[in-house]
Amino acid sequence: MIKLSKTKVNKLRIKGRTPVLIGLVVLSISIIFPLFFILMTSLKNNVDYSRDPFGLPDTLMLENYSSLLDNFNIGRAFLNSLFVCTITVALVLLIAGMAGYALAKLSVPGGRFITGTFLGVMLFPGPVLIIPIYVLLARLGLIGDVKGLILVYVASGIPFATFFLTLVFKSIPKEITEAAQIDGAGFFRTLRSIIAPLGASGVITLAIMQFLGAWNELLFAFMILPSETSRLLTPTLATIGTRYVSDQPLVSAGLFISASLPLIILMFASKYIIEGLQVTIKKN
Amino acid sequence: MSKKPSNTATDFFIPLKKKINQRERRIAALAVAPAVLLVFFFTIIPVFIAFVISFFKTNGLTYTWRGLDNYFRFVDDPVVHQALSNTIKFLFSVPLVISFALLVAVLLFEKIRGWQYFRVIFFIPNVLSVAVVGIMVKSIFGYYGPVNKIIEYFGNEPIQFFVDGSKAFWIIVFALVWAGFGYQALLLLAGLTSINPEILEAAALDGAGWWRRLWQVTIPSIRRILGFVFIINVLYTFGGIFGFIFVMTAGGPGFDTTTVDYLVYLRAFSSSNLGSGAALAVMLFLVIGAITLLQTKFFRISEDD
């Protein structure tokens, strides 16, 4: 955590606070208003919307939501996404946790090279990988298989996750892990009962970031799970959004369903999410 | 650089230590193995596969050797030229995003009461999917959407934003700015917070006004983080716009908003030649690699001064 130094400079400028507040409020409205607008639109029907997109809905209509559930299988897509993201996060935490602990506290042969490679791999752009990964998964018979997508998500999450956890675990005093080793605790024991609890806030931050990343991913989800029954939420929304342009309330309801979980997570875990930023800066 | 511990006093224990070290190294190697293998098979190997495929004409089933033909064809392929120039045009969004981010960062840095809540609000776009942001912006600029209602209110005809390439372009830029400025503001804010407050105080005592302090003290002090934000934006423009294009315009009208990364997708899944897409992907990879190398060099230089 960065210490928020309350500088005296700030105090020198007390009279300048109103413009600052106004600036922040205006910019915040630019963020919040579109979301509020989408929420309101999702509660109208199409006729009301085209008459007056700005008006508040007369009665709260949930028909767009029920239509998404009944006709577009959005409930199933939601659960599919939840499943894929949960498994992805669990695997990433396990695999990157082991690697991060080893890189932070043990002497890994070629450790510097591994860290360097992972840092480089993080810059690989997704579009470069779509064709070869598609070909690779097709060979393995994993197109249309949730396992294929999870594999891709886990593999693409690991470089950052390992890097992040290495930093988190490095800040745990060496004396503590060494004491555990002297007491005869093995690798997993130390990882589970010393490293993980002491690095808990970093681990939670990482879990949230990975979850959101997988939840919001579009390209691979669209490509690897094309069938209607196994499709995830984000690609389902993208399909509805591009096909039903003339039914904005329906599209808005879809948007709101997709956005709801990330927004709830941000509301309750903003501290952890924003903490994750500091590590991105350390990378710099 | 980590210093090697002097081992004069521990010489006596070396045989035992060596044994423990060997065991520890084995365990450590096993612990990183799954991560290394996954990254190797699903990111490093695929880049090689892309290289190989780019030398063939292929639909994924049959392969015909083409040598560098896929690359040579780009020279007189108008769609590739357009995609390249579109991608470069989208670099316009970079100074826009950074200006807004800097504005927000500077405002937040005043640390007025409740600034932490504003920080959370500015983080919202960053937790949303590109698909959500893209479709939302598209709805707002839709024919029956709110922007057109405002235009009508002032007595003008509603505009079909997405049938005009340059309008569609600016709307995508708008989406990029909306999605990016809050997060980057928080990155810059972290940079601002690490400035030594005494420097700012000294400048204030010397009679430098708010604007002068901003331009001559604050911004120069965060030039490294500004450089970092600049680079991630440029990289994003080359490899991350795909999602916005996909949900907002599908590259249209015509190829007016088709970027290189979107063209890779188009070539991959709507033509019979994966090789051409792979060749484009390889070019994209090389460009991004070059930018990254330049960046590290640039930062080396600025660290020296």
Side-chain angles (χ1 to χ4, degrees):
Chain A
M1 276 291 281
I2 282 187
K3 287 238 172 69
L4 308 167
S5 52
K6 285 210 176 107
T7 65
K8 283 172 198 154
V9 174
N10 287 333
K11 286 184 192 148
L12 289 173
R13 295 198 57 261
I14 289 174
K15 64 177 179 193
R17 283 196 174 160
T18 323
V20 171
L21 182 66
I22 292 170
L24 285 174
V25 167
V26 168
L27 287 158
S28 300
I29 288 173
S30 81
I31 302 247
I32 290 176
F33 180 74
L35 294 168
F36 175 75
F37 178 79
I38 291 297
L39 176 62
M40 285 305 119
T41 304
S42 77
L43 298 169
K44 295 175 186 172
N45 65 31
N46 212 4
V47 181
D48 283 347
Y49 177 76
S50 16
R51 198 181 330 119
D52 179 14
F54 287 110
L56 293 173
D58 309 331
T59 51
L60 295 185
M61 268 183 296
L62 294 173
E63 66 183 66
N64 295 309
Y65 290 93
S66 58
S67 156
L68 284 173
L69 283 173
D70 299 338
N71 308 330
F72 296 91
N73 245 332
I74 205 115
R76 179 160 195 168
F78 194 96
L79 292 178
N80 285 344
S81 272
L82 208 54
F83 174 77
V84 167
C85 295
T86 310
I87 304 278
T88 299
V89 170
L91 287 174
V92 168
L93 287 186
L94 177 70
I95 296 169
M98 279 162 49
Y101 167 37
L103 288 167
K105 292 290 177 217
L106 309 173
S107 61
V108 179
R112 282 184 143 224
F113 176 73
I114 293 172
T115 309
T117 311
F118 280 12
L119 275 173
V121 162
M122 271 192 251
L123 294 168
F124 285 12
V128 171
L129 300 177
I130 51 172
I131 294 175
I133 283 192
Y134 190 84
V135 171
L136 194 66
L137 289 180
R139 273 289 149 85
L140 297 170
L142 289 175
I143 296 293
D145 191 332
V146 180
K147 287 200 284 290
L149 186 61
I150 292 175
L151 215 51
V152 172
Y153 282 172
V154 171
S156 55
I158 277 177
F160 176 74
T162 305
F163 169 76
F164 186 98
L165 288 181
T166 306
L167 282 184
V168 170
F169 294 161
K170 257 191 187 149
S171 66
I172 296 171
K174 195 141 196 158
E175 294 77 36
I176 298 179
T177 49
E178 270 168 6
Q181 276 166 344
I182 289 166
D183 286 349
F187 178 84
F188 280 106
R189 180 86 194 278
T190 316
L191 181 58
R192 204 187 54 220
S193 48
I194 311 274
I195 299 282
L198 286 176
S201 102
V203 173
I204 295 171
T205 300
L206 179 72
I208 293 170
M209 286 161 71
Q210 294 283 330
F211 186 92
L212 289 174
W215 185 265
N216 291 333
E217 205 278 332
L218 173 65
L219 176 53
F220 286 106
F222 191 79
M223 192 176 81
I224 297 174
L225 295 177
S227 87
E228 297 265 319
T229 47
S230 59
R231 191 171 277 173
L232 304 192
L233 188 60
T234 303
T236 307
L237 163 79
T239 318
I240 295 171
T242 45
R243 260 187 223 158
Y244 297 87
V245 184
S246 57
D247 192 350
Q248 284 304 320
L250 181 78
V251 171
S252 299
L255 285 172
F256 200 73
I257 292 176
S258 303
S260 59
L261 195 59
L263 288 176
I264 291 169
I265 292 175
L266 179 61
M267 220 150 62
F268 287 103
S270 61
K271 174 181 148 244
Y272 291 111
I273 298 178
I274 290 170
E275 224 167 72
L277 266 173
Q278 314 308 347
V279 175
T280 322
I281 289 166
K282 274 187 207 155
K283 186 172 93 186
N284 177 31
Chain B
M1 286 278 122
S2 63
K3 270 195 243 159
K4 279 216 166 132
S6 79
N7 52 2
T8 41
T10 53
D11 271 358
F12 179 70
F13 296 102
I14 277 183
L16 179 67
K17 227 177 167 181
K18 216 171 185 176
K19 220 172 174 182
I20 292 175
N21 270 351
Q22 257 173 10
R23 203 179 111 77
E24 189 193 289
R25 281 167 78 86
R26 234 192 351 262
I27 294 173
L30 284 175
V32 295
V36 169
L37 286 176
L38 271 168
V39 169
F40 184 71
F41 278 107
F42 285 94
T43 51
I44 293 169
I45 289 279
V47 171
F48 279 101
I49 298 180
F51 262 102
V52 172
I53 294 177
S54 74
F55 299 126
F56 288 88
K57 180 180 170 65
T58 173
N59 53 12
L61 299 170
T62 58
Y63 290 79
T64 338
W65 176 258
R66 289 273 285 271
L68 288 169
D69 216 31
N70 283 326
Y71 292 92
F72 288 142
R73 277 170 190 235
F74 293 152
V75 176
D76 46 24
D77 184 338
V79 176
V80 171
H81 294 179
Q82 193 170 5
L84 203 60
S85 85
N86 286 338
T87 294
I88 290 168
K89 270 204 300 190
F90 274 111
L91 289 173
F92 268 120
S93 65
V94 176
L96 284 177
V97 178
I98 295 181
S99 312
F100 272 101
L102 196 58
L103 173 65
V104 172
V106 169
L107 290 177
L108 283 174
F109 188 50
E110 295 294 320
K111 303 276 162 67
I112 60 164
R113 189 176 304 174
W115 71 279
Q116 292 98 329
Y117 299 104
F118 286 110
R119 195 170 60 158
V120 176
I121 291 171
F122 291 122
F123 205 82
I124 288 176
N126 200 54
V127 301
L128 299 178
S129 173
V130 164
V132 170
V133 175
I135 294 172
M136 189 184 80
V137 171
K138 190 182 167 191
S139 300
I140 287 168
F141 286 92
Y143 191 73
Y144 297 106
V147 170
N148 264 331
K149 274 280 147 30
I150 295 172
I151 289 173
E152 280 179 88
Y153 180 82
F154 288 106
N156 298 313
E157 287 291 301
I159 299 169
Q160 285 202 308
F161 288 102
F162 293 97
V163 297
D164 176 341
S166 74
K167 290 200 186 77
F169 168 81
W170 284 109
I171 291 167
I172 296 170
V173 169
F174 176 84
L176 285 169
V177 173
W178 193 87
F181 81 92
Y183 171 71
Q184 291 172 23
L186 298 191
L187 289 178
L188 294 176
L189 177 65
L192 291 175
T193 325
S194 62
I195 298 176
N196 183 354
E198 279 165 25
I199 298 174
L200 292 170
E201 270 170 60
L205 288 176
D206 283 351
W210 191 81
W211 273 104
R212 255 191 79 197
R213 284 208 305 274
L214 177 67
W215 286 105
Q216 298 187 348
V217 184
T218 313
I219 292 180
S221 321
I222 56 164
R223 66 183 186 286
R224 281 202 66 211
I225 190 102
L226 267 173
F228 170 70
V229 168
F230 178 76
I231 290 298
I232 55 171
N233 272 303
V234 172
L235 291 179
Y236 191 77
T237 310
F238 278 92
I241 293 192
F242 168 91
F244 288 105
I245 311 286
F246 184 92
V247 297
M248 292 176 75
T249 63
F255 288 99
D256 281 358
T257 56
T258 301
T259 54
V260 177
D261 55 346
Y262 189 70
L263 191 59
V264 173
Y265 166 81
L266 280 184
R267 291 271 153 102
F269 296 104
S270 62
S271 86
S272 53
N273 188 5
L274 280 175
S276 175
L280 260 182
V282 167
M283 279 189 16
L284 197 62
F285 182 74
L286 294 178
V287 169
I288 288 174
I291 295 173
T292 315
L293 280 181
L294 279 177
Q295 170 226 359
T296 34
K297 223 171 187 175
F298 176 77
F299 281 134
R300 287 268 158 70
I301 294 163
S302 64
E303 259 168 68
D304 290 341
D305 65 8

